[in-house]
């Protein structure tokens, strides 16, 4: 079976759009054999602490197993050479890799609203809402940049919804992965309107 991970998931923190609890989503993903899941609530990161805490709790036993196997491996590597030492080291390394493969990965993200013009413009219908855009943190730098983007969307760009814009995304792009989101995204909207060149741009 090909590995599959959902990268666009809403929790109960996506008001009027999601109803699943963080724990139910994680439990279902694990039960379905997924290696991780991305939480991308609308305009917010309210679920992220609960999400990471719950995943850490679920990974607890496996992390304990990994810690014990690393200790065993370190002791084996310090042992004097014997007939079966290399075989035991190989066996321990295999167990370690197998345990690591059972770690569930929490992917931190947000489905952001991107202002059609810029986030400082707040002049009626053209500036309401904005295009949808899924933004995922690839690493720690990306996580910090995502926090900046979402915080500024609420404090600087809020107009009907927390909005960012292209200049903000360009400024805080490092460590982020961006996808076109749903039919509310800029690229899908342009495709459905037949504006293929604009969508490609």
């Amino acid at each position: 079976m090909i590995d599959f991970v959902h990268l666009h998931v809403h929790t109960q923190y996506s008001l009027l759009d999601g109803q699943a609890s963080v724990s139910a989503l994680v439990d279902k993903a694990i039960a379905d054999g997924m290696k991780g899941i991305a939480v991308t609530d609308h305009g917010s990161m309210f679920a992220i602490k609960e999400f990471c805490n719950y995943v850490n709790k679920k990974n607890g036993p496996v992390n304990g197993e990994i810690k014990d196997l690393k200790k065993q491996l370190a002791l084996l590597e310090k042992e004097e050479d014997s007939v079966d030492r290399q075989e035991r080291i190989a066996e321990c390394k295999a167990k370690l890799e197998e345990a690591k493969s059972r770690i569930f990965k929490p992917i931190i993200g947000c489905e952001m609203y991107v202002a059609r013009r810029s986030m400082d413009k707040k002049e009626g219908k053209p500036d309401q809402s904005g295009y949808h855009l899924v933004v995922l943190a690839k690493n720690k730098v990306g996580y910090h940049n995502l926090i900046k983007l979402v915080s500024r969307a609420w404090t600087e760009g809020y107009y009907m919804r927390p909005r960012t814009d292209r200049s903000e995304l360009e400024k805080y792009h490092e460590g982020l992965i961006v996808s076109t989101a749903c039919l509310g995204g800029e690229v899908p909207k342009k495709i459905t309107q037949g504006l293929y060149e604009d969508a490609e741009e």
Side-chain angles (χ1 to χ4, degrees), residues 76 81-93:
L76 283 169
D81 213 10
S82 63
V83 178
D84 65 340
R85 179 174 167 265
Q86 291 306 321
E87 191 179 307
R88 286 183 292 137
I89 286 174
E91 191 180 310
C92 191
K93 282 182 178 177

Side-chain angles (χ1 to χ4, degrees), residues 34-57:
M34 292 184 201
K35 304 282 186 190
I37 196 169
V39 165
T40 56
D41 283 313
H42 277 297
S44 79
M45 294 173 69
F46 302 143
I48 298 305
K49 185 175 187 312
E50 183 182 342
F51 177 46
C52 290
N53 287 349
Y54 191 72
V55 169
N56 285 340
K57 180 181 168 186

Side-chain angles (χ1 to χ4, degrees), residues 14 29 51 57 63 106 147:
S14 283
F51 177 46
K57 180 181 168 186
N63 280 326
I147 288 171

Side-chain angles (χ1 to χ4, degrees), residues 88-154:
R88 286 183 292 137
I89 286 174
E91 191 180 310
C92 191
K93 282 182 178 177
K95 283 181 182 175
L96 185 58
E97 288 309 308
E98 189 277 327
K100 284 180 180 177
S101 74
R102 287 186 276 124
I103 289 288
F104 188 82
K105 184 172 180 63
I107 303 167
I108 297 168
C110 179
E111 184 172 7
M112 300 192 76
Y113 299 101
V114 182
R116 286 177 172 83
R117 299 190 295 167
S118 66
M119 64 191 258
D120 61 318
K121 289 189 168 55
K122 301 172 184 181
E123 299 163 5
K125 197 165 184 177
D127 296 317
Q128 288 178 18
S129 182
Y131 296 114
H132 295 204
L133 189 74
V134 170
V135 184
L136 306 172
K138 182 166 60 173
N139 50 34
K140 193 174 180 179
V141 172
Y143 171 69
H144 288 291
N145 280 331
L146 184 58
I147 288 171
K148 286 174 193 164
L149 283 168
V150 173
S151 295
R152 288 178 57 80
W154 280 93

Side-chain angles (χ1 to χ4, degrees), residues 161-184:
R161 289 185 169 86
R163 303 170 310 145
T164 190
D165 61 24
R166 285 184 178 204
S167 65
E168 287 283 291
L169 289 161
E170 192 174 330
K171 185 176 176 183
Y172 299 110
H173 75 278
E174 192 181 345
L176 296 175
I177 298 170
V178 175
S179 81
T180 56
C182 56
L183 289 175

